[in-house]
Amino acid sequence: MAKRQYPERVIPRHSLKTRITHDIVAVTCLWLMVSGAFVFVPALAAAFPAATQFFRMSHRVMGTIFIVAPILSAITSPRGFKEFLGKYFVKWTPQDWEFLKKFVPYMLGAKRVHMPDQDEVKSGQRFADGLLILSSILIAVSGVVLWLGTSVFHASAGVLLAMRTCHDVAFILLIVFGLAHIYLGAGIFQPYRGTSRLMWGDGKVTEADALYHWGFWARKQIEKGNYEEVKK
């Protein structure tokens, strides 16, 4: 006897354009981390001179894509960019502060910690992603100055030193918060298992996962009828 299939409700969370922009930035960022090691670590560059030339060139190409992709996305979708900012620059609620305080115990023992409901972007995500975005801007600006300051115009030694320091600090921040972002976003952490489809799949989340992770937002979407039914 064939097993009966029951419909499951899923809620669209990220548009195709958002997913494409995110994926381009993520891939180029990872490449920049690898190629940057050959650009900024003299010992590594000396050990692999042939590879270094390739990585130096690719670092500039990927750096350009890393900068241009989100700018083009914002320009071609100003309304979406405004909505994006609105999700991050909001007044924090008591639930937001409670979530942030409980997050580390939650990661160590998710079954024992009850987390408060959250909106479309969690308070912890606003904090971590905010630093990730800030470090991306810093590394992009300093990278452009270092590139142009040694090719198109001659920047002073002081400016180049300051930009190199900024580039290094931003690089460290990117690694720290980038790894945290990957750990959660890739679904490695059990309560987030399967959430990789949000940015690397169809951009939809099951009703159960939406209610668990983003309770306030999920209930609003369900009330509006912003969901789809699919067979399990």
Side-chain angles (χ1 to χ4, degrees):
M1 183 176 178
K3 187 177 180 180
R4 187 175 179 182
Q5 291 185 320
Y6 294 93
E8 178 185 51
R9 296 202 294 197
V10 295
I11 303 174
R13 183 166 170 83
H14 297 302
S15 67
L16 177 60
K17 186 173 186 178
T18 298
R19 300 197 307 274
I20 291 175
T21 302
H22 170 273
D23 297 350
I24 290 174
V25 170
V27 171
T28 53
C29 184
L30 290 174
W31 185 268
L32 287 171
M33 289 181 179
V34 175
S35 59
F38 286 85
V39 176
F40 294 99
V41 180
L44 193 59
F48 303 95
T52 298
Q53 185 60 32
F54 166 74
F55 280 118
R56 282 183 182 276
M57 183 58 66
S58 67
H59 194 75
R60 294 172 180 176
V61 173
M62 289 297 184
T64 301
I65 297 173
F66 178 77
I67 294 171
V68 171
I71 292 176
L72 280 179
S73 180
I75 291 174
T76 55
S77 182
R79 180 179 177 182
F81 180 61
K82 183 179 179 180
E83 291 177 353
F84 171 81
L85 293 178
K87 298 172 188 176
Y88 284 84
F89 293 98
V90 295
K91 184 178 180 180
W92 281 36
T93 65
Q95 290 87 350
D96 288 333
W97 290 108
E98 181 185 354
F99 181 93
L100 198 61
K101 287 189 291 185
K102 288 184 175 180
F103 187 67
V104 172
Y106 171 67
M107 291 186 69
L108 297 175
K111 292 182 179 180
R112 300 190 299 271
V113 181
H114 176 72
M115 300 297 277
D117 280 348
Q118 290 283 274
D119 214 326
E120 185 173 359
V121 178
K122 299 178 181 180
S123 57
Q125 186 181 351
R126 291 186 211 127
F127 175 77
D129 284 1
L131 287 175
L132 196 60
I133 293 169
L134 177 61
S135 59
S136 296
I137 294 173
L138 289 175
I139 207 167
V141 172
S142 59
V144 169
V145 174
L146 286 171
W147 179 14
L148 298 182
T150 55
S151 57
V152 178
F153 60 90
H154 298 288
S156 67
V159 170
L160 292 178
L161 178 60
M163 290 298 101
R164 184 178 290 273
T165 301
C166 180
H167 209 68
D168 290 344
V169 171
F171 177 69
I172 294 172
L173 288 174
L174 268 179
I175 291 178
V176 173
F177 289 97
L179 288 175
H181 186 81
I182 293 171
Y183 179 65
L184 296 175
I188 298 172
F189 180 40
Q190 175 53 39
Y192 288 81
R193 191 66 54 81
T195 53
S196 58
R197 67 183 285 190
L198 294 178
M199 282 301 185
W200 298 96
D202 58 11
K204 299 172 183 177
V205 60
T206 64
E207 179 182 17
D209 282 344
L211 287 169
Y212 177 81
H213 291 292
W214 307 281
F216 292 137
W217 171 78
R219 284 190 287 274
K220 290 177 186 175
Q221 300 309 306
I222 294 170
E223 289 174 4
K224 294 177 181 178
N226 294 338
Y227 59 82
E228 303 170 8
E229 291 189 349
V230 295
K231 289 185 178 180
K232 291 184 179 180

